[in-house]
Amino acid sequence: MTITERAAYLRGLAEGLELDADKKEVKLLNGILELLDDLALSVSDLEVQTGEIADQLDEVDEDLGTLEEEVYGLNDDEDGCDGCCSCEDEDDELDEFDDTYFEVTCPNCGETVCLSADIIEEGEMDCPNCGEHLEFELEEAEEEEDSTEE
């Protein structure tokens, strides 16, 4: 039963009681029932609008996914990151690692952080989760990459 149906049911119960409309209590009850009717209609309208907005948002999400695939040439499953962060930094200059990202586990807090090649090249950073200072050596990362290709 919808909220408007429930409000109509309550109004029908009140009318079935055949109360004296001149009594103060009945005027109060009728006022409450009118308020319930108005609130039920408002909620119903909001539910319809929310459904329409959700449909539009789904369409925008699909369009954005298509655009990301066209621009980056990847979908969410192929980008090498498990969604631990937003691994896109548009201001970075292109280099030999262009779209390569690395997952690093902080030895202090155990959280996995997704890093771009530029951060690895810098050689150090503070963990965004706990603030622990982390150091990297690019040579080790390149050696690991070479060994997986063989």
Side-chain angles (χ1 to χ4, degrees):
M1 185 180 300
T2 67
I3 194 166
T4 53
E5 291 171 338
R6 290 173 66 188
Y9 174 75
L10 291 175
R11 179 168 291 286
L13 285 177
E15 289 173 359
L17 294 174
E18 299 177 4
L19 301 173
D20 184 10
D22 295 330
K23 290 187 175 181
K24 294 179 184 179
E25 296 86 4
V26 176
K27 289 180 181 180
L28 175 65
L29 181 61
N30 286 334
I32 291 172
L33 290 172
E34 287 177 23
L35 176 65
L36 277 175
D37 288 339
D38 292 343
L39 289 174
L41 291 174
S42 294
V43 169
S44 294
D45 290 344
L46 288 173
E47 288 173 343
V48 168
Q49 291 173 354
T50 302
E52 290 172 358
I53 291 171
D55 292 342
Q56 291 173 353
L57 185 59
D58 288 342
E59 289 176 22
V60 169
D61 185 44
E62 289 174 12
D63 292 344
L64 180 60
T66 303
L67 181 63
E68 285 175 339
E69 287 179 19
E70 289 177 14
V71 171
Y72 298 114
L74 302 171
N75 63 29
D76 291 339
D77 297 335
E78 296 173 348
D79 66 5
C81 182
D82 66 355
C84 62
C85 61
S86 72
C87 294
E88 313 285 74
D89 190 358
E90 296 171 293
D91 297 330
D92 289 345
E93 293 180 15
L94 296 176
D95 62 5
E96 62 184 289
F97 295 113
D98 195 27
D99 289 332
T100 303
Y101 298 95
F102 301 92
E103 288 185 359
V104 177
T105 302
C106 175
N108 187 44
C109 66
E111 291 292 322
T112 301
V113 181
C114 190
L115 306 175
S116 69
D118 291 337
I119 295 173
I120 299 292
E121 285 177 357
E122 289 176 21
E124 62 184 4
M125 69 169 276
D126 291 334
C127 175
N129 298 310
C130 69
E132 177 78 13
H133 188 72
L134 305 174
E135 293 183 6
F136 315 104
E137 290 185 31
L138 181 60
E139 296 161 17
E140 291 178 15
E142 288 175 348
E143 289 173 12
E144 289 177 20
E145 194 172 282
D146 291 340
S147 67
T148 58
E149 291 176 1
E150 294 175 0

